[in-house]
Amino acid sequence: MWNNHKKSISRIFHYQIQGTIIYTVNHKKKVHVRFTWIYNNNNCCMKLFNIFGLTIISISIENGVVYILNGIVYQNADFKNEIYKWIVDFSYFLKQSQQWILGLPGNNVEYKLNSTGCLSYINCCHDDKNISIYYRNYYSNNIPTLPKVLEACYDQHHIKLVINHWNIR
C-alpha cells in the first residue's frame, strides 16, 4: 500500500493548501495564525495572516533561495524574538516541508506507517535537534489520501498544522 500511495503523491508538482498554524513555545506561548501554502514545481510560498486577513509574513523559496518578507508590527519584543528564531530554524523545515506536507518522508529520516499505508510519524535530526512529525489525521476521501492534521515538535517548539483545504493541479 505504501509504495502505491508514495507513487501517487510523488506525482503532485503543483498544490495550494489553506489552514491554521498553532505555534507553542515551552508549552506557554500560543499563537494561532491562518496560512496559505503554494507549491509550484520546486518553488513554494507560505503566507501567514492576522485575524483581519492581512499578511503578517511571507516566506518563499524561488530557485533555491529563501525570501522572507515581513509585514509584522510588533508590540511585544519577546514575541518578535521568538518569531525570528522560529524563522531561522524554519528555513530547514521549509525545504523539507515540501515533502512532509504531502505525506512523504523526505530525505534521511526514520518513519512509520499507519494501518492505511500512510505516514504516521517522521523523525530526523537537524543541527543536533531532534525533529518529530506526527500525522494525526488524513482526508480519506481524497485520491491520493492527503494529510489534514500534522504536528511537529523540536526543542521547546510545537507546531500544529491544520489543513482545511487542498487544491491540487
Side-chain angles (χ1 to χ4, degrees), residues 14-27:
H14 308 281
Y15 63 87
Q16 179 177 345
I17 58 175
Q18 297 171 341
T20 303
I21 294 175
I22 302 159
Y23 175 66
T24 309
V25 180
N26 290 329
H27 304 288

Side-chain angles (χ1 to χ4, degrees), residues 87-120:
I87 288 169
V88 169
D89 285 342
F90 195 70
S91 294
Y92 167 77
F93 291 119
L94 195 60
K95 292 174 186 172
Q96 290 296 315
S97 294
Q98 297 168 22
Q99 298 290 310
W100 294 343
I101 283 178
L102 286 169
L104 294 170
N107 299 323
N108 302 319
V109 299
E110 166 192 333
Y111 64 91
K112 293 181 183 174
L113 303 175
N114 64 21
S115 60
T116 63
C118 297
L119 286 177
S120 66

Side-chain angles (χ1 to χ4, degrees), residues 115-127:
S115 60
T116 63
C118 297
L119 286 177
S120 66
Y121 171 78
I122 295 174
N123 188 50
C124 63
C125 282
H126 171 67
D127 287 344

